[in-house]
Each structure stands twice: as C-alpha cells, then as structure tokens.
Amino acid sequence: MVSGTALGQSSVLYRPTQMVKDQGITIRAWGSGTISETDETAFEGSHSIRVSTRNFFQGGQIKLANGVDLSKDYLSKSNLLKLTFKIADSGVISGGGGGMGGGKAGFGFGGLGGGAGAAGQRGGGRGAGGAGFPGAPGAGGAGIGGAGRGAGGGGAATTAVLKQFRLILGTSDGKKSEVYVPANTSASSDQGWMTVAVPLQAIAGLDRTNKVVNQVGFSGNTTATFYVGDLRIIEDTTPIQGDTNVTGTLNAALGDEFTFSANGFGGSSILRYTWDFDDKDGIQVDAEGQSVTHKFRKPGTYTVTATITDYYGLKQPYSTSFKVVVNP
C-alpha cells in the first residue's frame, strides 16, 4: 500500500536531547507515584523521564518554567499532542485494592484510597487518598479525592496490564484539561519506543483554558513503569488509507467461519476499525476490531465493508469492500 504522509511539528513540551533543567523543567511525584530523569534508556540523546504509576490518580508531573502557548496550534484539527513512550514492565501481579476516597469539588484530580495489595494479600485498608493533582480546582464535576476508606478485599493474584495513559494539562490560568490515550499501540521501534497522538481539539477542557501549558501530569490505569521519550505538538494531515486480507471475491461454503483483517495507516492518528458484513441493510457496525471472525449462515452474495476512522473522528474515514459468495 502506498500512502502519503504529511507531518510537521511546532511546539515542544519535552525534548529528549536536553536535560530537563536545561529546558526549564522541574519534575515531582503525584500521589504515590514516582518520577525522575534517567539515563536507563533514551529515545534520542542520553536521557528520558521515568514514571511509575499505580492508577489514573498517581504518577508524575513536569512543570515548565516557560509555558508553551498552544493557542495557534489548537485552531487546527490537524495538530496533535504526540507522546513517545516505552513501557518498562507491561504487567505486574497485584491483590485486592482499597476503597475509593471521598469526593472533593474540582475537576477530578484527587487520589484513590488504599492502593493495591501484594499478590494474594489483603489490600490496603483505611488510609489517606492519593494526593490530588496540584493546582486550583477547575470547572467540572466533583473530583475523586479526600481520605480513602474501606478495607481492600483479599484477592487472588491477577496480572495487571498497562492499557491506557491519562495525561493532564495544566495551564497558566489555573485550569486543567485531560485526555486518556491507549498504551497498546501496534508499532514500536527496535528499542521498544512507541508513539500515540491525540488531536488537541479532543483534549477535554482545553477549549476552556488560555492554552498556555505550564504543567503535564502522567499516569496509567494500573501499577506500571514507563518512560517518556518525547512530548510535542505535530501537524498531521496524512489521509487514512488501508487494505484488507481479502480482495476481489471470496468463495465460501455455508457455515464456514472466516477471519477478516484490515491494516490501516493514518500518520500519527489512533485508528478504529469497523466491519459491515451485508450492505443490503445499509452500512452498519456489525463488528469492531482490526481482526474479526464471521460466519455466513445463509447462501448468497455478500458485500463486506471495512471502514477505518481516526479514534476522534476528525479525519475523513476510509472504506474498502469485497464480495463473499456463500454456496449452499
């Protein structure tokens, strides 16, 4: 598949080729998480930022001495916040967790009470909730903060996998915005570095700020450690294209089950795959996923359509179809 790529870059929040102090960046832990500059691994240069998280409410934060003004970047839906990262440990063993803390007015940056216990042991009981994200309360619903309470149940050991990041952007007007992005992107470099990008216009709450970013918080859905290798704004006008593992016409017997897969490309965009197995009733979402299985239960000729969109619906979708002839 030949595809055109249109990528540009503008504002940089963290670059890997300079020490954080030389960029006017200070780092501090958030809740029970940890954060540090490290030379253990690097995307470029010799350093990266190492973040250990326990849940979406505990991780690390970088503070920018000179705020980065994203006002102009925000005007275009083609401008994305791009995170380059590397997961140090993709899964851990944990026991039952503690109860959720009481609410505190704000945007929802408080912590959870009682963290996960060790494998097969009883989770944390009464204890202070994780510290909330620093800064003045922003507009929005009740936050999750305050003291945690309730003993964690004794749980069987489970494998927790880092599936999602939570990024919180603080701006110089004291407001907060946030976005959740997947950590299980399909492609990675030889050294394990991966990228994920989200349109600035898809970051919840950013439209209500002055867009001068002076702090960024990092956390994940579970106990894990990851490295931040780069954080910047890029312009991505790459159109979505794709293909499927079936082209032309597929001949099938009644009751046969087939696995259909698609491979899309849309620059830095996070892609979503949906499938329709019979266009006679219009193009609908019969299944979702890059690879799906389907069994045709009646003879006839079917048009199968794969549609690839960007996760946030800001790019033109791409669709491709093929025929399946089901013989009696």
Side-chain angles (χ1 to χ4, degrees):
M1 178 182 63
V2 178
S3 56
T5 302
L7 295 174
Q9 68 182 43
S10 49
S11 307
V12 178
L13 300 176
Y14 167 70
R15 58 173 56 87
T17 54
Q18 287 182 285
M19 303 287 286
V20 292
K21 65 178 182 179
D22 296 329
Q23 300 180 59
I25 294 176
T26 57
I27 57 179
R28 63 176 175 178
W30 166 23
S32 297
T34 63
I35 185 171
S36 61
E37 187 173 39
T38 179
D39 60 0
E40 295 172 6
T41 184
F43 174 61
E44 293 179 355
S46 59
H47 288 76
S48 61
I49 297 176
R50 186 181 192 270
V51 181
S52 292
T53 177
R54 293 176 62 87
N55 50 50
F56 282 135
F57 307 95
Q58 303 180 68
Q61 174 195 9
I62 63 173
K63 297 192 69 176
L64 314 177
N66 301 310
V68 179
D69 190 350
L70 303 183
S71 300
K72 292 182 179 179
D73 295 321
Y74 187 83
L75 296 176
S76 173
K77 66 180 181 181
S78 298
N79 288 330
L80 290 73
L81 175 64
K82 181 180 179 182
L83 170 67
T84 300
F85 66 95
K86 180 178 182 179
I87 300 175
D89 49 353
S90 59
V92 296
I93 304 299
S94 63
M100 185 170 289
K104 178 181 177 182
F107 195 73
F109 299 136
L112 292 178
Q121 297 181 1
R122 193 168 291 272
R126 302 180 64 90
F133 192 93
I144 301 173
R149 52 180 192 150
T158 58
T159 301
V161 178
L162 181 61
K163 295 181 179 179
Q164 203 172 37
F165 295 115
R166 182 188 186 201
L167 304 182
I168 305 176
L169 276 61
T171 46
S172 62
D173 55 1
K175 297 180 181 179
K176 302 291 188 295
S177 54
E178 66 175 351
V179 66
Y180 293 81
V181 293
N184 54 343
T185 55
S186 57
S188 64
S189 69
D190 293 340
Q191 293 76 34
W193 290 98
M194 297 180 280
T195 61
V196 65
V198 57
L200 289 176
Q201 294 183 8
I203 299 176
L206 188 57
D207 60 326
R208 299 190 295 272
T209 73
N210 67 359
K211 303 174 185 63
V212 180
V213 177
N214 60 6
Q215 51 187 306
V216 182
F218 304 91
S219 63
N221 65 291
T222 190
T223 302
T225 296
F226 58 91
Y227 301 91
V228 176
D230 189 89
L231 186 66
R232 67 182 62 223
I233 309 302
I234 62 167
E235 180 185 19
D236 184 356
T237 59
T238 309
I240 298 175
Q241 300 181 51
D243 52 23
T244 60
N245 63 337
V246 178
T247 58
T249 300
L250 172 67
N251 286 293
L254 187 64
D256 283 352
E257 184 174 79
F258 291 93
T259 297
F260 301 117
S261 61
N263 184 38
F265 180 78
S268 295
S269 297
I270 304 169
L271 300 181
R272 176 175 178 250
Y273 299 80
T274 59
W275 298 81
D276 177 83
F277 299 114
D278 187 359
D279 68 341
K280 295 183 178 64
D281 56 354
I283 303 300
Q284 304 178 23
V285 178
D286 295 331
E288 182 173 347
Q290 189 169 2
S291 181
V292 298
T293 58
H294 185 72
K295 181 183 293 185
F296 296 93
R297 302 184 181 278
K298 294 182 180 180
T301 299
Y302 298 85
T303 299
V304 177
T305 302
T307 301
I308 308 172
T309 59
D310 79 281
Y311 188 80
Y312 301 97
L314 296 179
K315 285 186 176 181
Q316 181 67 32
Y318 175 85
S319 293
T320 184
S321 301
F322 55 87
K323 299 287 185 182
V324 177
V325 177
V326 181
N327 302 293

